[in-house]
Amino acid sequence: MEPILEVRNLTTQIPTRRGLLTAVDDVSFTLHKGEIFGVVGESGSGKSMTCRSLLRLLPSSARTVQGSAVYRGSDLLRLPPKAFNQVRGREIAMIFQDAMAVLNPVHRIGDQLTEAMLAHRVVATPAEARARAVELLRKVGIPAPERRLQDYPHQFSGGMCQRLVIAIALSCQPQIILADEPTTALDVTIQDQILKLLIGLQHELGVSLVLVTHDMGVVAQSCQRVAVMYAGQIVEIADTVSLFTAPKHPYTRGLLACVPQLAADGEVLPLAPIPGSPPDLVHPPAGCRFHPRCPLASEECRHGTFPLQQVGQQHVSACIKHEELGPLS
Ligand SMILES: Nc1ncnc2c1ncn2[C@@H]1O[C@H](COP(=O)(O)OP(=O)(O)O)[C@@H](O)[C@H]1O
Ligand SMILES: [Mg+2]
């Protein structure tokens, strides 16, 4: 497994009226070439801010105050703006949750698709860009692509817009795609289609994909490895099979218990949501941030720091009590 992106100690803060909010706290992970790497966690755990920090697309007041993200020998966080603009969109693309917020309502689909290709000189001429735009629309399953190039985003349904955003992300043949909840804004029936499209394209193109989701079902269907985020920190990273069969963090266990399960007789088992709510990231709890909600918490969990420890071959966890977690029944 060859690394393509190495994120180390990434920390991003946002000033708020109540004080400094640490949205991403000392996050480290490695993305391998050609894999789908899931990032899961409840809403507000720092998943989007992690992606945005990597692509330097933060709210104007937010600052990445520590860390590195090494891609092809350069730290993305320290590249001069001009060099960074060669990477963003060209080598590393992002797909956001809300397609409508990305698409420009007054520009034709065709122009929005060809813009990055021409700017990054992936194609030599507008005619070549147009031909490639048609091919891309076909690839993401948009019928009558030649005609559709003339349309405006409002003429597309939500699902079609997300297909279009995927086409734009693919247009410059990136090495890495950061997909931030790419299906969350869509109808349930469309979600599955778009996810399958994205996974199919990832397999076909061999691109490395970071797939951010709050949906454990999506992770099970698509990812090779997964990072679990809680309160701005990564608390567990594992291959998908280990994560689902033998999670080594009580928070992960809690997330899995939130997924509807069927009993042998077809009865839907009751959900067990994690009690309490995620902490305030301006004043997070001392010690393990999960301890106020954790069934295993004891005195030693209330103080100190909890770095990720090796707990299996491809498996790290921040929980010092992981041995008390038996396999899932
Ligand atoms: N523009 C912003 N201003 C202030 N706080 C923000 C802003 N965006 C996100 N946050 C805070 O940063 C933390 C992480 O948010 P985010 O990365 O969006 O979480 P996730 O994507 O996991 O739902 C949350 O506490 C959220 O409230
Ligand atoms: Mg988010």
Side-chain angles (χ1 to χ4, degrees):
M1 281 179 303
E2 201 184 325
I4 188 162
L5 177 68
E6 300 201 66
V7 179
R8 293 291 170 264
N9 310 108
L10 184 71
T11 303
T12 295
Q13 298 182 319
I14 310 171
T16 70
R17 245 177 283 152
R18 297 181 305 111
L20 210 49
L21 182 152
T22 304
V24 181
D25 192 352
D26 207 26
V27 160
S28 301
F29 66 90
T30 300
L31 176 67
H32 298 140
K33 233 176 207 171
E35 76 171 339
I36 305 186
F37 183 69
V39 179
V40 292
E42 285 164 294
S43 171
S45 56
K47 306 181 299 294
S48 296
M49 283 295 156
T50 299
C51 295
R52 287 175 175 277
S53 300
L54 297 174
L55 282 189
R56 292 159 56 169
L57 293 173
L58 290 169
S60 57
S61 61
R63 292 282 173 275
T64 295
V65 294
Q66 181 192 293
S68 60
V70 175
Y71 169 74
R72 288 197 164 164
S74 320
D75 181 357
L76 296 176
L77 305 178
R78 283 174 185 77
L79 273 181
K82 216 169 156 189
F84 185 71
N85 286 335
Q86 298 298 316
V87 175
R88 183 172 58 205
R90 171 78 182 87
E91 309 255 339
I92 307 179
M94 186 154 172
I95 300 172
F96 294 92
Q97 172 175 340
D98 183 4
M100 277 316 201
V102 181
L103 297 171
N104 189 326
V106 299
H107 288 170
R108 293 183 195 275
I109 303 296
D111 294 337
Q112 301 196 48
L113 249 175
T114 53
E115 189 186 329
M117 288 191 265
L118 289 164
H120 287 299
R121 306 221 167 81
V122 180
V123 289
T125 63
E128 202 184 317
R130 194 177 179 284
R132 201 168 139 64
V134 169
E135 183 198 321
L136 282 162
L137 287 186
R138 192 168 289 128
K139 223 181 187 48
V140 298
I142 293 181
E146 288 89 352
R147 220 176 53 225
R148 287 304 212 162
L149 290 181
Q150 309 305 319
D151 285 356
Y152 291 92
H154 74 264
Q155 293 169 278
F156 274 37
S157 68
M160 296 270 272
C161 281
Q162 201 56 312
R163 286 174 192 269
L164 177 62
V165 167
I166 293 171
I168 293 173
L170 294 174
S171 66
C172 295
Q173 296 172 298
Q175 298 294 312
I176 299 174
I177 296 178
L178 307 179
D180 187 4
E181 311 241 15
T183 62
T184 306
L186 304 170
D187 292 344
V188 182
T189 49
I190 311 292
Q191 283 186 11
D192 198 49
Q193 289 174 16
I194 298 291
L195 186 68
K196 291 215 166 88
L197 168 73
L198 195 59
I199 297 167
L201 290 167
Q202 186 277 335
H203 283 308
E204 182 186 330
L205 305 171
V207 55
S208 311
L209 177 65
V210 175
L211 183 59
V212 173
T213 174
H214 61 262
D215 186 336
M216 285 302 226
V218 167
V219 170
Q221 263 186 69
S222 55
C223 300
Q224 276 94 54
R225 291 190 311 129
V226 197
V228 180
M229 282 193 84
Y230 184 73
Q233 303 175 325
I234 291 182
V235 296
E236 182 167 12
I237 304 178
D239 61 278
T240 305
V241 174
S242 300
L243 193 92
F244 277 80
T245 55
K248 296 291 183 196
H249 198 287
Y251 178 59
T252 311
R253 187 66 77 102
L255 287 179
L256 289 170
C258 297
V259 179
Q261 311 268 346
L262 285 183
D265 60 1
E267 195 79 6
V268 179
L269 297 173
L271 288 180
I274 306 171
S277 48
D280 173 7
L281 296 184
V282 177
H283 303 289
C288 168
R289 291 190 178 169
F290 189 57
H291 86 253
R293 302 171 77 186
C294 181
L296 299 181
S298 65
E299 192 48 37
E300 56 194 320
C301 303
R302 297 179 215 283
H303 315 279
T305 54
F306 296 83
L308 292 170
Q309 310 276 354
Q310 205 76 35
V311 295
Q313 209 185 357
Q314 270 202 76
H315 201 158
V316 291
S317 163
C319 180
I320 53 170
K321 303 201 147 204
H322 66 85
E323 277 164 2
E324 292 177 29
L325 291 165
L328 282 180
S329 51

